[in-house]
Amino acid sequence: QVQLVESGGGLVQAGGSLRLSCAASGSIFSINAMGWYRQAPGKWRELVAAITSGGSPNYADSVKGRFTISRDNAQNTVYLQMNSLKPEDTAVYYCNAEIWVAGIGEYDYWGQGTQVTVSS
């Protein structure tokens, strides 16, 4: 009924930039918070950044000043602009959204994940 499709991952050198996108589609009545998480090998999944429906962002301390989250409510899309990338940013990045599905209720949805690899 609802899908989150991510794009924009890849391989980049340290100091470079990438932009991730995540588009939600399906029987969507409304979307509350949207966010990006990441999981590196052998580590827990962690919150990178999140943004409310009103556009208020919050960030993990490790990415403050380097990453910017934004959203386009008309397109049901969330973005993550990642600058000054470091090797420790290497992980699978997952999109997350709190979506009110028409006629059913609010659920948490996840994208399939996109690999970001930063070489030193």
Side-chain angles (χ1 to χ4, degrees):
Q1 289 173 325
V2 173
Q3 270 192 312
L4 298 182
V5 178
E6 301 152 350
S7 61
L11 173 64
V12 65
Q13 288 189 331
S17 298
L18 284 174
R19 189 187 194 216
L20 305 182
S21 300
C22 172
S25 62
S27 302
I28 297 170
F29 179 74
S30 65
I31 302 178
N32 293 324
M34 302 183 82
W36 291 93
Y37 289 71
R38 66 187 181 188
Q39 188 167 17
K43 294 190 176 181
W44 295 103
R45 189 174 296 189
E46 63 174 358
L47 175 67
V48 176
I51 186 167
T52 67
S53 57
S56 296
N58 70 84
Y59 300 94
D61 287 344
S62 59
V63 306
K64 281 181 181 176
R66 300 188 298 122
F67 291 10
T68 302
I69 190 170
S70 61
R71 63 189 285 173
D72 182 336
N73 290 334
Q75 300 294 323
N76 291 334
T77 300
V78 63
Y79 305 96
L80 186 68
Q81 178 66 44
M82 304 185 292
N83 298 328
S84 302
L85 282 160
K86 304 175 180 180
E88 51 263 44
D89 294 318
T90 295
V92 178
Y93 284 69
Y94 297 91
C95 172
N96 172 266
E98 299 171 352
I99 298 176
W100 190 274
V101 180
I104 297 178
E106 186 176 87
Y107 290 90
D108 223 23
Y109 288 90
W110 292 89
Q112 79 282 4
T114 186
Q115 177 70 46
V116 171
T117 303
V118 184
S119 63
S120 57

